Amino acid sequence: MSDSRARILITAHDLAARLKAPESLILLDVQDEKASARERPLIPHALATFLDTDFSGAPSKRAGKRPLPEIADLQAKARSWGMKPDSLVVVYDDKGGAQASRAWWTLRWAGFDNVRILDGGLQAWLAEGHPIAQDPAPAPGGGTVNLSPGHLRTIEADEAAANAREGVLLDTRGRAAYLGAPQEPGKPATGHIPGALSAPATDALADDGRFKSSQDLRADFAALGADGAQPIGVYCGSGNAAAHSIAALSAAGLEAALYVGSWSAWSADPARPAAIGEERGGEQGA
């Protein structure tokens, strides 16, 4: 595994080996919303965490559905999970990696680098026949980690628009969301930021649900013009799939900025144009 990839991902095999001595490991099972949590098997020693309550601030039209959390709140959560400066944190989900990737990105944005995404998520763990648990582990408390904001680059709406014109802006939602449709009166615009390229986050995954090789990822991104020669910005619906693509870009040795508000914030502003159709510019709508 390349150095860049090893700083992003951990295999199910390697996680199982680390769990034989779990004292320095913090394992976080990540779901999107606490209100919609459902029962599912967990990896032993995993703590239950949620994007809406643990890794996000209060949603708003301006900030979008999943804005960044207040750093003091995130630090308090991290300490409740037992995180210390020398901890290894592993995050995973059962939804293709978007939720885990947003947790990974948020911790790195807050200055904690020793965090890995379980490659292939819960499905990879189950496919290798590792044991499961029915209940999450209790949060141990006692963490001493100090977090601070701004360690990964973010962009706002104007910068995303500029990226689309002057660099590379990747829309990591599914194709249908990118294509959109003519706007209906009284409803948010659909489509994409003018100039953005369609690059679904799921394209970074192989058939087994794990990330493609770093070489394949770099080739795929280069085909979109995202080869590092120009600034790369990434967005999706609310910042989850975009974080997954940033993980894929990082595994390929590329850096990108996250438009945290993403389409949920862009489409809430009636002054922001929406392009529809196959072309980067498409048809302009209010």
Side-chain angles (χ1 to χ4, degrees):
M1 186 182 291
S2 68
D3 288 346
S4 59
R5 191 180 183 92
R7 289 193 295 269
I8 310 302
L9 304 172
I10 187 171
T11 66
H13 175 81
D14 288 345
L15 175 59
R18 291 297 302 256
L19 283 173
K20 293 178 180 177
E23 291 78 12
S24 63
L25 176 68
I26 309 295
L27 181 59
L28 304 180
D29 177 290
V30 185
Q31 296 192 51
D32 192 18
E33 295 184 349
K34 191 170 187 178
S36 61
R38 59 180 177 78
E39 291 186 4
R40 72 180 190 211
L42 295 97
I43 298 174
H45 304 286
L47 307 177
T49 64
F50 303 90
L51 289 183
D52 63 338
T53 57
D54 297 325
F55 294 101
S56 303
S60 68
K61 286 186 176 181
R62 181 182 181 280
K65 182 181 178 182
R66 290 279 178 267
L68 291 169
E70 294 293 332
I71 196 66
D73 295 338
L74 181 61
Q75 178 171 284
K77 292 284 187 178
R79 290 182 175 184
S80 76
W81 301 326
M83 283 175 56
K84 300 176 181 178
D86 60 348
S87 297
L88 169 64
V89 176
V90 175
V91 294
Y92 76 92
D93 61 37
D94 71 341
K95 296 290 186 183
Q99 295 165 7
S101 295
R102 180 59 186 267
W104 163 85
W105 184 93
T106 304
L107 289 172
R108 289 178 63 92
W109 165 83
F112 190 84
D113 291 335
N114 200 23
V115 54
R116 306 289 184 272
I117 302 165
L118 175 59
D119 195 6
L122 180 62
Q123 289 78 8
W125 180 265
L126 296 173
E128 293 189 7
H130 296 301
I132 59 172
Q134 296 303 318
D135 298 305
T144 57
V145 69
N146 292 310
L147 301 180
S148 59
H151 294 265
L152 292 182
R153 185 166 172 255
T154 63
I155 53 178
E156 299 294 337
D158 287 344
E159 294 170 290
N163 243 105
R165 293 191 305 269
E166 303 161 9
V168 178
L169 183 65
L170 302 180
D171 182 320
T172 65
R173 299 171 297 162
R175 285 288 296 168
Y178 176 88
L179 294 173
Q183 186 174 2
E184 297 181 28
K187 292 187 177 182
T190 65
H192 55 275
I193 296 174
L197 288 162
S198 178
T202 51
D203 287 355
L205 300 178
D207 291 342
D208 63 3
R210 296 173 175 87
F211 281 87
K212 293 178 180 177
S213 71
S214 297
Q215 294 81 0
D216 286 347
L217 289 171
R218 193 170 186 94
D220 288 348
F221 287 122
L224 294 166
D227 57 5
Q230 302 180 82
I232 304 170
V234 189
Y235 78 97
C236 58
S238 57
N240 297 351
H244 185 274
S245 291
I246 289 178
L249 285 156
S250 298
L254 298 166
E255 295 183 0
L258 176 64
Y259 176 22
V260 179
S262 283
W263 190 253
S264 63
W266 181 278
S267 62
D269 184 348
R272 298 288 176 188
I276 61 174
E278 293 281 354
E279 299 298 324
R280 293 175 65 175
E283 298 176 18
Q284 298 298 313

